[in-house]
Amino acid sequence: CGSIVMAALASVFRGITASRTVQGVLRHAPRRQLHLHEAYSMELLKKHGVRTPRMGIAHTAEEAATVAENLGGEQWAVKAQVLAGGRGKGHFESGFKGGVHVVKGAENVEAVAKNMIGHKLITKQTGHAGRPCNMVLIVEKMNIIKEYYFAILMDRASQGPVIVASSQGGMDIEAVAKDDPSAIIKEPIDIKKGLTLEQAEALAVKLGFSPQSSEQAAQEMLKLYSFFLKFDCTMVEINPFVQDAFGHAVVLDAKVNFDDNALARQPEVLSHRDFSQENPLDVVALKNDLNYIGLDGNIGCLVNGAGLAMATMDIIQLHGGKPANFLDIGGGATAKQVTEAFKIITSDPRVSCILVNIFGGIMRCDVIAEGIIHATKQLDLKVPVVVRLQGTRKIEAKALIASSQLDIISADELDLAAKRAVQVSRIVQLAREAGLTVSFKDQITTDASVESELTPEL
């Protein structure tokens, strides 16, 4: 349901012509939703009373075989647990094809699991780097009569939850929506009334559940909506939602996203978060209360306030540079957070200059200056730093930087600071290509109305 969710997000910006910087940030930005592995999502659904197949989680190949034997039966699905779509069509770095296999015999379950666990799965959503598979989900094979698609998500246009469903389940729903839009059913839910039994039964009939199964399918839909509300979900996607040979409506696969802002009241959900599936820099930023998004440029940015950060990146581009990141330290950052921010920025080998742009309102400039000085000394920075500080305790901050005797380049105006950062970045890049190191001495550090001169020392 990725494109459907993105369409909902895109409605926020409909009619707005975004700058290249805004477009870049949106393209690289991690969604503000917590994703759980299918295995954990299915466990939560089962605890909530939703009908699911018998299954088990395995962290080793031997454990996978044991789980299959304990489940009983002759055939099982072995599913790699990686937070990415398109697992079935993906491949592992070892060359093993497919992240989902249906096999006979416990020995074959073990063999398939061995090719998955401990290897990276590469899909259309992971990029070439892939993501590690640390466990597999073993699911009993069911006798399925019909597959459907069912999802609940938040929709801006409806100003509340909406059900998206189709009788064409078990396949790429984006392709279905593109090739046959009439096959997609959308059912808005009144946020005050919730999903009613009558509404759910009518939807089950419209989807094509048999008369003996439609009532039970409606009950499962009600449970799914209850789950959606209870766990502060932004999306519950079931693909496929099936009718088995006994007439039961069963959730066979689930993808669930949770609202990050509500995680404080969802400890069970939070306990299942898998940081190995996330960008390590995003994890560090999260733990230090920093808002970070990596981009593809070479000028690192450290700014307080999202709006100022966007403006800073735009001005960098105006002068011919490319920002390496979006990093907002917020209004109450400490010297320690500034140091951590520098660690994140300098971990990107492409960064050839760091631009610090602080407007001190709630934030004190001297705190930022302390953090810059501490980071420069602790990290033994080899990357030049351009600093623009304005606002609360600006004079004290400049005095701290001046007394530190560090080679920090200053500017009072943002336009000049950005221009200097771009110039310095180009010099550093040329030096790197020539196998040289370079440092800078700031000859003029007073008012930005007079353009400063930089003297590189090779």
Side-chain angles (χ1 to χ4, degrees):
C1 195
S3 63
I4 296 174
V5 174
M6 289 308 295
L9 291 175
S11 67
V12 179
F13 303 99
R14 192 170 290 125
I16 299 175
T17 303
S19 69
R20 289 182 181 178
T21 296
V22 173
Q23 293 169 357
V25 170
L26 291 176
R27 184 172 62 253
H28 291 82
R31 296 179 188 173
R32 295 293 297 169
Q33 308 161 11
L34 171 63
H35 300 224
L36 290 189
H37 286 295
E38 172 197 3
Y40 297 139
S41 295
M42 293 290 280
E43 278 187 352
L44 289 174
L45 286 167
K46 185 176 181 179
K47 287 181 181 179
H48 196 67
V50 176
R51 185 184 289 271
T52 62
R54 294 184 303 129
M55 65 187 73
I57 299 171
H59 293 87
T60 66
E62 294 77 13
E63 188 181 357
T66 302
V67 169
E69 291 171 348
N70 291 339
L71 289 175
E74 298 180 352
Q75 285 186 291
W76 305 269
V78 183
K79 309 175 82 173
Q81 295 303 286
V82 172
L83 289 179
R87 290 175 296 168
K89 296 180 180 179
H91 66 278
F92 289 85
E93 57 183 349
S94 62
F96 185 68
K97 303 291 185 181
V100 178
H101 287 258
V102 177
V103 297
K104 289 184 178 181
E107 68 280 3
N108 290 323
V109 169
E110 181 175 349
V112 170
K114 189 173 183 178
N115 281 303
M116 293 181 175
I117 298 172
H119 300 281
K120 287 185 177 180
L121 178 63
I122 301 165
T123 77
K124 62 181 181 180
Q125 291 186 4
T126 65
H128 297 300
R131 287 183 180 168
C133 174
N134 299 315
M135 62 181 181
V136 294
L137 179 65
I138 313 299
V139 186
E140 66 170 338
K141 187 178 184 300
M142 300 184 66
N143 189 357
I144 298 169
I145 303 300
K146 174 66 177 171
E147 296 183 347
Y148 306 89
Y149 176 89
F150 180 88
I152 307 172
L153 53 91
M154 297 302 296
D155 179 54
R156 183 174 293 275
S158 304
Q159 298 185 359
V162 64
I163 291 174
V164 178
S166 176
S167 60
Q168 299 182 35
M171 58 183 73
D172 187 346
I173 195 63
E174 286 96 342
V176 173
K178 180 180 179 182
D179 298 337
D180 185 9
S182 63
I184 304 296
I185 300 170
K186 294 184 180 180
E187 183 72 27
I189 302 171
D190 187 318
I191 192 67
K192 295 180 180 178
K193 294 181 181 178
L195 180 64
T196 65
L197 178 59
E198 295 77 12
Q199 196 175 11
E201 288 179 339
L203 181 58
V205 171
K206 191 182 293 186
L207 282 172
F209 277 92
S210 64
Q212 64 269 29
S213 299
S214 58
E215 185 177 342
Q216 191 194 77
Q219 291 294 335
E220 295 302 316
M221 291 178 190
L222 291 173
K223 291 175 186 176
L224 288 168
Y225 181 68
S226 172
F227 177 91
F228 180 86
L229 294 181
K230 178 180 178 180
F231 288 95
D232 295 302
C233 301
T234 56
M235 183 183 76
V236 174
E237 182 185 41
I238 310 301
N239 191 21
F241 186 36
V242 306
Q243 178 182 327
D244 69 10
F246 302 101
H248 298 141
V250 184
V251 169
L252 207 58
D253 193 329
K255 177 180 179 181
V256 183
N257 297 342
F258 304 87
D259 185 350
D260 278 2
N261 294 316
L263 291 180
R265 62 187 186 193
Q266 299 294 350
E268 185 176 10
V269 171
L270 194 57
S271 69
H272 291 308
R273 184 168 194 164
D274 185 354
F275 287 109
S276 73
Q277 301 291 308
E278 301 182 35
N279 184 324
L281 294 182
D282 292 338
V283 175
V284 174
L286 176 68
K287 290 180 178 179
N288 288 282
D289 292 326
L290 300 170
N291 297 310
Y292 170 82
I293 299 169
L295 301 174
D296 53 8
N298 58 357
I299 299 178
C301 300
L302 191 156
V303 190
N304 67 319
L308 186 59
M310 290 295 210
T312 302
M313 292 189 291
D314 270 340
I315 294 176
I316 287 173
Q317 292 200 139
L318 179 66
H319 289 294
K322 292 188 69 177
N325 63 273
F326 169 100
L327 199 157
D328 169 21
I329 60 173
T334 63
K336 181 179 182 298
Q337 285 176 298
V338 174
T339 302
E340 293 301 323
F342 267 86
K343 287 181 181 178
I344 292 171
I345 293 172
T346 54
S347 66
D348 183 347
R350 296 171 300 181
V351 170
S352 53
C353 179
I354 299 173
L355 173 57
V356 179
N357 182 23
I358 300 296
F359 184 81
I362 300 173
M363 170 59 65
R364 287 169 40 186
C365 291
D366 59 332
V367 172
I368 297 297
E370 289 173 2
I372 294 171
I373 294 167
H374 184 263
T376 303
K377 292 178 177 178
Q378 181 184 351
L379 304 178
D380 190 24
L381 281 184
K382 304 299 183 183
V383 177
V385 179
V386 178
V387 177
R388 183 251 182 179
L389 299 171
Q390 290 291 342
T392 307
R393 307 202 68 162
K394 173 183 74 173
I395 296 174
E396 291 85 347
K398 288 187 173 183
L400 284 170
I401 291 175
S403 63
S404 71
Q405 297 184 333
L406 297 171
D407 293 335
I408 295 174
I409 304 164
S410 297
D412 285 344
E413 297 299 329
L414 174 55
D415 188 67
L416 177 58
K419 188 173 183 179
R420 300 183 84 180
V422 172
Q423 292 170 338
V424 167
S425 168
R426 288 172 180 165
I427 294 171
V428 172
Q429 286 180 293
L430 288 171
R432 286 177 177 176
E433 291 171 7
L436 303 172
T437 58
V438 61
S439 62
F440 294 85
K441 292 293 183 181
D442 200 349
Q443 291 186 338
I444 302 174
T445 58
T446 55
D447 191 81
S449 60
V450 179
E451 189 169 324
S452 301
E453 296 180 1
L454 301 174
T455 303
E457 295 181 351
L458 298 177

